């Protein structure tokens, strides 16, 4: 049984296996000949926060592999959490019904608490502003597919870095590969937590922080934009003050390398101008599709199949 709680749990050899497996899944999906490796398995998806991609791609992945799905969306209201049930009790119950349990929760650290009582594999589908490891893995797969390498890349993260859980899962994965340098591009109000920066410094990770989205664009192989996460702000006013500070516009494309890619975990609101979508370097819809193949691979990984 293998939980997927944090990107930090993966060694490089695990990452290579997952990427290889996802490639097989992609090939099988495209040929229409998918091995039903999860036949007779039940996958539970319980989401205490909204989701389009993560929940529906996990459910699609499960169906494609022959599993059946039990699902609770809007679980803060539609599950017994509404009546005050603890995540530990909910987890125990889900483990008594399903073979693998996928959970999204607004509170950082919830999956670690759930893992203490789980007797079936748990998958973290995002816990607050903490981590989103399956997103990190599909991002890694996307970069490998687009650039044909995971080394010697300049990767810029732009926008709300404070609240981005996808950054906090992708950076630990990419730093396992040599020669990568990170550029953290955000207004002061949305900068990365200082303890995250201190940890990078202490471990000799190459990075720069900048208050400008534009300055470093010519150097980047990957620009990873993030949404300003309204739901994590204490009030509307503090959100409104920062929501439009970092917008990637069509005019910025000319400053980027011809083979650079623009990524975004989605949903995007206005942080990327809509005209950018049609540029071949806009990789975010391809990235979301890759989520299906990677999550098929991850369901097999969790079940040790
Ligand atoms: N990227 C991502 O987690 O999207 P959803 O919130 O739609 O699942």
């Amino acid at each position: 049984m293998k939980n997927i709680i944090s990107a930090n749990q993966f060694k490089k050899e695990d990452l290579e296996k997952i990427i290889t497996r996802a490639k097989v899944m992609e090939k099988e999906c495209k040929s229409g000949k998918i091995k039903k490796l999860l036949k007779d398995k039940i996958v539970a998806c319980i989401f205490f926060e909204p989701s389009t991609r993560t929940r529906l791609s996990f459910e699609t992945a499960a169906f494609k592999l022959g599993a059946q799905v039990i699902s609770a969306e809007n679980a803060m209201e539609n599950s017994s959490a509404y009546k005050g049930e603890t995540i530990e009790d909910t987890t125990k119950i889900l483990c008594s019904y399903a073979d693998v349990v996928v959970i999204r929760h607004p509170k950082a650290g919830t999956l670690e608490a759930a893992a203490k009582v789980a007797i079936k594999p748990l998958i973290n589908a995002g816990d607050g502003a903490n981590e989103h490891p399956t997103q990190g893995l599909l991002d890694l797969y996307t970069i490998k597919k687009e650039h044909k390498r995971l080394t010697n890349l300049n990767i810029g993260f732009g926008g709300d870095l404070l609240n981005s859980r996808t950054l906090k899962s992708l950076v630990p994965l990419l730093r396992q590969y040599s020669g990568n340098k990170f550029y953290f591009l955000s207004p002061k109000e949305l900068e990365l937590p200082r303890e995250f920066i201190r940890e990078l410094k202490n471990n000799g990770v190459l990075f720069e922080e900048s208050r400008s989205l534009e300055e470093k664009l010519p150097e980047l192989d990957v620009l990873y934009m993030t949404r300003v996460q309204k739901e994590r702000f204490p009030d509307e006013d503090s959100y409104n003050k920062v929501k439009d500070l970092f917008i990637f516009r069509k005019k910025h494309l000319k400053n980027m390398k011809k083979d650079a890619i623009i990524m975004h975990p989605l949903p995007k609101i206005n942080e990327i101008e809509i005209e950018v979508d049609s540029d071949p370097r806009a990789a975010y819809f391809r990235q979301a599709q890759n989520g299906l193949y990677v999550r098929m691979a991850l369901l097999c990984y969790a079940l040790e199949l």
Side-chain angles (χ1 to χ4, degrees), residues 149-155 177-181 221 257:
R149 70 181 199 277
L150 288 167
T151 54
N152 302 313
L153 292 163
N154 287 339
I155 305 115
Y177 295 85
S178 63
N180 290 333
K181 180 169 178 183
D221 301 297
K257 292 181 186 175

Side-chain angles (χ1 to χ4, degrees), residues 95-145:
C95 288
S96 72
Y97 301 154
D99 299 286
V100 52
V101 178
V102 183
I103 301 178
R104 170 172 286 185
H105 201 281
K107 190 167 168 235
T110 295
L111 269 286
E112 275 174 31
K116 289 197 177 112
V117 298
I119 56 163
K120 300 284 175 58
L122 284 192
I123 299 181
N124 182 357
D127 62 326
N130 183 38
E131 277 218 45
H132 194 348
T134 69
Q135 178 74 43
L137 290 161
L138 78 88
D139 293 340
L140 196 74
Y141 183 73
T142 299
I143 295 169
K144 178 75 190 280
K145 210 168 133 183

Side-chain angles (χ1 to χ4, degrees), residues 47 49-57 104 125-126 132 134-135 138-139 165-166 224 227 264-267 287-288 295:
F47 278 59
E49 270 191 338
S51 166
T52 297
R53 278 144 291 272
T54 311
R55 187 170 70 86
L56 298 179
S57 64
R104 170 172 286 185
H132 194 348
T134 69
Q135 178 74 43
L138 78 88
D139 293 340
R165 56 192 177 197
T166 65
Y224 192 107
R227 175 178 65 92
H264 192 304
L266 304 179
Q287 179 185 354
R295 289 183 173 121

Side-chain angles (χ1 to χ4, degrees), residues 182-244:
F182 303 103
Y183 295 83
F184 300 123
L185 318 171
S186 75
K188 172 85 182 145
E189 299 89 328
L190 300 175
E191 70 180 12
L192 272 165
R194 293 301 89 185
E195 65 264 29
F196 190 91
I197 290 292
R198 263 195 302 279
E199 198 275 331
L200 296 182
K201 256 187 206 158
N202 292 343
N203 287 288
V205 176
L206 284 178
F207 74 92
E208 283 181 36
E209 290 187 283
S210 170
R211 299 281 169 244
S212 157
L213 179 62
E214 292 167 42
E215 191 183 57
K216 298 291 177 189
L217 288 181
E219 295 175 43
L220 301 183
D221 301 297
V222 177
L223 171 65
Y224 192 107
M225 287 298 292
T226 61
R227 175 178 65 92
V228 179
Q229 297 198 17
K230 189 176 183 184
E231 65 275 28
R232 316 246 180 254
F233 282 75
D235 52 63
E236 189 98 10
D237 271 359
S238 45
Y239 167 71
N240 285 335
K241 269 186 205 143
V242 295
K243 73 180 173 61
D244 297 325

Side-chain angles (χ1 to χ4, degrees), residues 58-101:
F58 261 120
E59 294 190 6
T60 307
F63 284 127
K64 283 198 180 276
L65 289 165
Q68 299 193 67
V69 174
I70 54 172
S71 188
E73 60 164 327
N74 196 13
M76 265 326 171
E77 289 183 19
N78 293 339
S79 78
S80 286
Y82 185 75
K83 303 174 202 162
E85 186 169 66
T86 63
I87 192 66
E88 287 85 355
D89 283 2
T90 302
T91 302
K92 282 182 196 168
I93 300 305
L94 291 172
C95 288
S96 72
Y97 301 154
D99 299 286
V100 52
V101 178

Side-chain angles (χ1 to χ4, degrees), residues 255-274:
N255 300 330
M256 295 199 72
K257 292 181 186 175
K258 291 274 179 286
D259 67 345
I261 56 168
I262 302 149
M263 297 176 69
H264 192 304
L266 304 179
K268 61 182 172 68
I269 311 302
N270 69 338
E271 59 277 10
I272 299 180
E273 236 173 33
I274 201 152

